[in-house]
Amino acid sequence: MSDLNRKICDVFAGLVVRKDLVKTVKGNAIVPSYVLEYLLGQYCATNDEASIESGIQTVKEILAKHYVHRNEAGLIRSTIREKGRHKVIDKVSVSLNDKKDVYETEFSNLGIKKVLIDSGTVKKHPKLLVGGVWVIADVEYDHTEEKDASPWILSTIKPIQMSHFDYDGYIDARSKFNLDEWIDVLVQSIGFNPEFFGRRSKLMQLVRLIPFCERNFNLIELGPKGTGKSHIYSEFSPHGILISGGEVTVPKLFVNNSTGKLGLVGYWDTVAFDEFAGKQKKVDKALVDIMKNYMANKSFSRGVEMLGADASMAFIGNTEHSVPYMLKHSDLFDALPEKFYDSAFLDRLHFYIPGWEVDIIRGEMFSDGYGFVVDYLAEVLRHLRNQDYSDHYSEYFKISSQISTRDRDAVHKTFSGLMKILFPQGGATEAEIEEILKFSMEGRKRVKDQLFRIDSTYADVNFSYSNKVGKEAPVSTLEELQYPNYFNKTVGEVTDIGMPEPDIEPVVDKQREPLISVAVEKASYDECELKEHHLTFVENQRGVSYDNLFGPYLKGAKHITITDPYIRLFYQAKNLMELLETIIKQKAEEDEVVVSLITVEDEFKGEQQREYFEKIQSSMFAVGIKFDYSFDTTGSQHARHIVTNTGWKISLDRGLDIFQQYDVNDVFSLSNRIQKHRPLKGFEVTFINIQ
């Protein structure tokens, strides 16, 4: 067990579960993760292997005996009849039979309807009336000769969610983790292995939680298929509901004027719309108008009466085109249905998660470590809805006065949500607050930048903030940095003008110097002038390869020395091999180049490490690369750089390890085949002329 997992189990004893157990017990049961983790939390909330094994068997037995599979519903009904009573795990919904003035329950999988339920239970659990709730229920059978009478009797019903919650204990426990540890705890609680995510990608995952802890937060995520966009809203919390975008109606979402029955926003903390994108989808214009008013004012009308609600909204859908295509030909809202492609509706969105930055989920990305029982974390987030952290940056930073009230409110909501999730106990440092503020502003800027392209009446806004001494820092989106030739143009301008590819150089506004200079993509590296300069690349940026980053500086070199203490594992040796491929492309076929590697021998897998190098040595000899390697034994070798006999030193803070993890065995993945399609880790590189 890792140190972090051990710490989680010690500090949050009884409130965490090993995340791979969900798959172990799920089998073919079609139930949300929070239902399974509720059961696992009862029997497996420990790190004792024997207790876990015993608990798994208990949970499996409970599911086998009490979970209702639709194809076995007849057998369960028969069991109830023969035994007189049986406990079931099923999703139930309740409706009012106004003719008889009674509440009636319908069991989704069991297939029985019109089961009477007392009004006290309905008042205690009003979500039974809207959307349905997973429960553990005792159902009895008592046949009667009365016409229209149901033989089914509901003895007891218990919604599957926590019965108690100690917030003070949660705050005290949070203070025992530093920020990096806490972020990893939360990522593991969602179900992912944090080792496969960079800092920015982890924050993307955590933004998906904000609708559960921030009232009336409007979030949109558009991106490729398979990135887990809907997972949190369908599996994570009993306080959120996921519905298909095509199933939305005014009565279902807001209020039925004929019956007076409140819709989903009146009962759920988060309403998520799946499959929201699709240009050809038919959408009710009246629905869009009511949604616009609700998203802006937190209210909607029922005839002459105004009603309020605090449900957050999350809109998730698939994009149809790549980012540069959308920026060149339309905008990043291109995939939305026509009725929602409305600047007034889009302006009410607080944050746009760039789904194209989120990795397609692979099997190895799921966690086998410990995380919160999701029902516990769901209760924490719900409790945090009552708090406001939106001004916690004001001690250190000030947002530009040019930003409108609506933009400022959006930034505040995102900032408040992330602060609640990451620092519920307070105590964030200035640097930590700056990171969260900048990230919050970026998400709103992505919305505003696209509105500027869609509707020319929107004024261009200076998204920036300043620190205590007045030093201003601009905020940019990653797509703005990566595709500047398309970004700040209207569609007509981009289409009509043949724009050259951008150069790779720091983005520096002459009017104000940013706190961090950021490098952007360059395709025409072969023609660039070799010069001394320093570049900073941001996490999730793409378009960079060894060829275009290092190639020009390696051209013509006869001796190249690579110093990197971390060429030990397979993927690191693969990086080395790819750098050698770049050197091959830069040399004449008849020339020979000596490449020397200085690294550190792996303490446990030194033999395998040597085997990698000897294979590289053998394959390189045939193409005129004389590769040799040596191990630094001083124990003080931390430098990472490439030095050529032509007088260039390339200093790398990460060495060759500049790419995020990808599946090296998937030969059909572009990330595997072409470096420019791999998302980057954040890194810096300095080119120095040492002659």
Side-chain angles (χ1 to χ4, degrees):
M1 187 186 294
S2 69
D3 291 341
L4 179 61
N5 283 321
R6 189 174 293 108
K7 187 173 183 179
I8 295 170
C9 291
D10 290 344
V11 176
F12 288 100
L15 298 170
V16 295
V17 67
R18 215 176 71 203
K19 288 295 169 172
D20 59 327
L21 299 184
V22 173
K23 286 185 178 179
T24 303
V25 302
K26 187 166 189 174
N28 61 349
I30 307 173
V31 295
S33 295
Y34 67 80
V35 173
L36 297 175
E37 290 199 16
Y38 173 85
L39 296 172
L40 288 169
Q42 306 294 309
Y43 302 100
C44 301
T46 176
N47 60 351
D48 178 69
E49 285 298 326
S51 298
I52 287 175
E53 287 302 318
S54 173
I56 288 174
Q57 292 306 313
T58 301
V59 173
K60 283 184 174 180
E61 289 170 8
I62 290 172
L63 286 173
K65 187 175 180 180
H66 301 290
Y67 170 71
V68 181
H69 294 271
R70 287 189 178 181
N71 59 350
E72 297 177 354
L75 177 61
I76 300 297
R77 290 197 297 267
S78 174
T79 300
I80 299 172
R81 179 185 182 277
E82 297 303 321
K83 291 173 56 179
R85 170 188 284 206
H86 185 66
K87 193 183 295 291
V88 299
I89 298 173
D90 199 356
K91 186 176 184 181
V92 304
S93 57
V94 173
S95 60
L96 173 64
N97 185 331
D98 51 4
K99 292 181 179 179
K100 296 183 178 181
D101 191 29
V102 293
Y103 288 104
E104 296 176 338
T105 305
E106 178 178 349
F107 286 72
S108 177
N109 291 347
L110 188 58
I112 59 176
K113 302 178 181 180
K114 299 183 178 180
V115 183
L116 297 182
I117 182 172
D118 67 280
S119 59
T121 301
V122 176
K123 289 178 181 177
K124 189 176 180 182
H125 307 290
K127 288 180 185 175
L128 289 166
L129 291 164
V130 187
V133 174
W134 282 90
V135 303
I136 300 174
D138 276 314
V139 181
E140 299 179 2
Y141 184 89
D142 184 17
H143 182 68
T144 175
E145 298 294 338
E146 289 184 35
K147 187 179 180 181
D148 296 331
S150 172
W152 306 103
I153 300 169
L154 184 60
S155 176
T156 63
I157 185 170
K158 179 184 179 184
I160 294 179
Q161 54 192 87
M162 287 190 63
S163 59
H164 67 280
F165 164 59
D166 177 12
Y167 182 68
D168 291 335
Y170 172 79
I171 293 297
D172 179 61
R174 161 62 185 97
S175 63
K176 297 176 182 177
F177 295 81
N178 63 39
L179 179 58
D180 289 333
E181 289 175 333
W182 187 246
I183 289 175
D184 286 354
V185 169
L186 294 171
V187 172
Q188 285 190 179
S189 297
I190 294 171
F192 293 124
N193 183 345
E195 293 180 6
F196 286 87
F197 297 83
R199 176 65 156 249
R200 179 179 172 87
S201 296
K202 291 174 185 176
L203 289 179
M204 294 284 187
Q205 295 291 337
L206 298 185
V207 166
R208 291 171 171 172
L209 299 179
I210 295 179
F212 294 101
C213 70
E214 189 72 23
R215 288 191 171 100
N216 301 103
F217 183 76
N218 305 318
L219 173 71
I220 189 166
E221 179 174 1
L222 301 175
K225 297 177 181 178
T227 56
K229 293 187 289 293
S230 62
H231 167 76
I232 279 181
Y233 307 107
S234 63
E235 301 281 324
F236 183 76
S237 172
H239 305 305
I241 187 168
L242 178 72
I243 59 176
S244 171
E247 297 177 357
V248 185
T249 62
V250 173
K252 182 173 183 177
L253 191 58
F254 293 106
V255 65
N256 188 320
N257 282 337
S258 61
T259 65
K261 182 180 177 182
L262 272 180
L264 298 173
V265 297
Y267 295 94
W268 298 90
D269 292 350
T270 299
V271 180
F273 302 84
D274 198 7
E275 301 170 357
F276 186 68
K279 287 185 177 181
Q280 308 307 317
K281 287 188 175 180
K282 294 182 179 180
V283 179
D284 182 3
K285 180 68 165 59
L287 172 66
V288 179
D289 292 338
I290 295 175
M291 287 182 73
K292 284 192 289 189
N293 186 65
Y294 173 75
M295 291 165 68
N297 305 315
K298 310 169 190 175
S299 62
F300 53 94
S301 65
R302 182 177 70 185
V304 296
E305 182 185 5
M306 292 299 295
L307 301 174
D310 61 12
S312 295
M313 290 189 170
F315 305 94
I316 51 183
N318 298 326
T319 50
E320 299 173 359
H321 303 289
S322 66
V323 174
Y325 181 95
M326 288 188 286
L327 291 177
K328 180 174 181 178
H329 297 286
S330 56
D331 55 77
L332 299 181
F333 290 114
D334 174 75
L336 294 188
E338 182 182 351
K339 293 290 194 303
F340 284 112
Y341 191 76
D342 176 298
S343 58
F345 170 78
L346 300 175
D347 197 19
R348 286 152 169 78
L349 296 170
H350 298 132
F351 196 97
Y352 187 146
I353 296 179
W356 49 88
E357 286 190 42
V358 181
D359 240 351
I360 292 175
I361 303 302
R362 308 185 301 274
E364 67 269 22
M365 295 170 72
F366 292 106
S367 175
D368 60 359
Y370 284 81
F372 294 124
V373 175
V374 289
D375 195 35
Y376 172 71
L377 183 54
E379 293 303 316
V380 170
L381 296 174
R382 188 172 208 210
H383 182 88
L384 289 167
R385 289 172 76 85
N386 299 320
Q387 303 185 28
D388 181 16
Y389 287 50
S390 58
D391 64 346
H392 279 37
Y393 67 87
S394 56
E395 180 182 353
Y396 302 105
F397 302 103
K398 182 180 179 182
I399 293 177
S400 168
S401 58
Q402 292 186 29
I403 294 179
S404 69
T405 300
R406 183 164 284 170
D407 293 333
R408 191 180 299 270
D409 288 345
V411 172
H412 282 174
K413 277 185 167 292
T414 307
F415 179 82
S416 177
L418 283 174
M419 287 295 290
K420 291 177 188 179
I421 292 167
L422 298 177
F423 295 100
Q425 83 289 6
T429 66
E430 180 177 349
E432 290 165 341
I433 287 174
E434 180 177 14
E435 178 185 20
I436 297 171
L437 177 62
K438 187 174 181 181
F439 190 75
S440 303
M441 293 181 71
E442 180 193 338
R444 173 59 184 179
K445 185 177 189 295
R446 184 170 290 107
V447 174
K448 202 59 179 281
D449 287 341
Q450 304 316 300
L451 285 172
F452 183 66
R453 296 166 68 89
I454 293 169
D455 187 343
S456 59
T457 62
Y458 281 89
D460 196 11
V461 179
N462 171 26
F463 267 79
S464 66
Y465 61 92
S466 54
N467 59 17
K468 288 182 290 188
V469 297
K471 188 173 184 180
E472 196 172 38
V475 174
S476 301
T477 64
L478 183 52
E479 56 271 16
E480 179 181 6
L481 300 173
Q482 198 160 346
Y483 307 107
N485 52 332
Y486 302 137
F487 193 83
N488 292 315
K489 304 291 180 181
T490 65
V491 175
E493 287 176 318
V494 173
T495 305
D496 296 336
I497 299 174
M499 300 289 293
E501 291 294 326
D503 291 331
I504 182 164
E505 56 186 27
V507 177
V508 179
D509 189 317
K510 294 179 181 178
Q511 300 300 317
R512 58 184 189 275
E513 180 185 353
L515 300 182
I516 303 174
S517 70
V518 182
V520 297
E521 180 187 6
K522 172 185 169 60
S524 53
Y525 291 82
D526 294 340
E527 302 169 4
C528 75
E529 176 187 353
L530 302 187
K531 60 182 179 182
E532 291 190 316
H533 59 303
H534 175 82
L535 301 175
T536 301
F537 291 83
V538 296
E539 185 183 321
N540 287 352
Q541 185 174 336
R542 299 175 194 258
V544 176
S545 67
Y546 291 164
D547 287 351
N548 57 27
L549 186 61
F550 305 136
Y553 292 87
L554 302 178
K555 194 169 186 177
K558 300 298 182 185
H559 195 152
I560 300 170
T561 302
I562 304 164
T563 303
D564 188 336
Y566 292 99
I567 309 292
R568 309 178 185 185
L569 305 177
F570 173 78
Y571 82 91
Q572 295 166 337
K574 186 175 186 291
N575 287 338
L576 173 63
M577 186 71 179
E578 291 180 346
L579 179 64
L580 294 173
E581 291 170 8
T582 293
I583 296 171
I584 292 170
K585 295 172 187 175
Q586 296 296 332
K587 80 176 191 67
E589 190 173 8
E590 67 276 10
D591 289 345
E592 288 190 339
V593 179
V594 176
V595 179
S596 301
L597 171 68
I598 302 173
T599 189
V600 173
E601 185 172 12
D602 189 276
E603 185 178 358
F604 302 103
K605 297 185 177 181
E607 186 176 335
Q608 187 179 63
Q609 187 181 13
R610 291 174 186 272
E611 183 182 339
Y612 293 152
F613 295 155
E614 286 165 9
K615 286 183 177 180
I616 291 173
Q617 202 171 51
S618 176
S619 65
M620 287 296 115
F621 184 80
V623 293
I625 300 290
K626 293 186 174 180
F627 173 74
D628 63 70
Y629 64 94
S630 61
F631 293 121
D632 176 78
T633 57
T634 64
S636 60
Q637 182 60 265
H638 298 291
R640 304 180 188 185
H641 49 66
I642 302 169
V643 178
T644 72
N645 69 313
T646 54
W648 285 101
K649 179 178 181 179
I650 306 170
S651 179
L652 294 157
D653 66 338
R654 282 191 177 273
L656 301 181
D657 189 16
I658 65 174
F659 301 111
Q660 293 186 32
Q661 291 193 44
Y662 59 94
D663 188 351
V664 296
N665 298 313
D666 185 358
V667 297
F668 301 106
S669 167
L670 277 177
S671 296
N672 188 8
R673 310 293 296 181
I674 304 174
Q675 286 185 334
K676 288 178 68 173
H677 287 275
R678 298 174 193 166
L680 297 174
K681 298 177 178 178
F683 75 96
E684 299 183 14
V685 55
T686 306
F687 298 87
I688 308 166
N689 193 328
I690 57 177
Q691 279 189 334

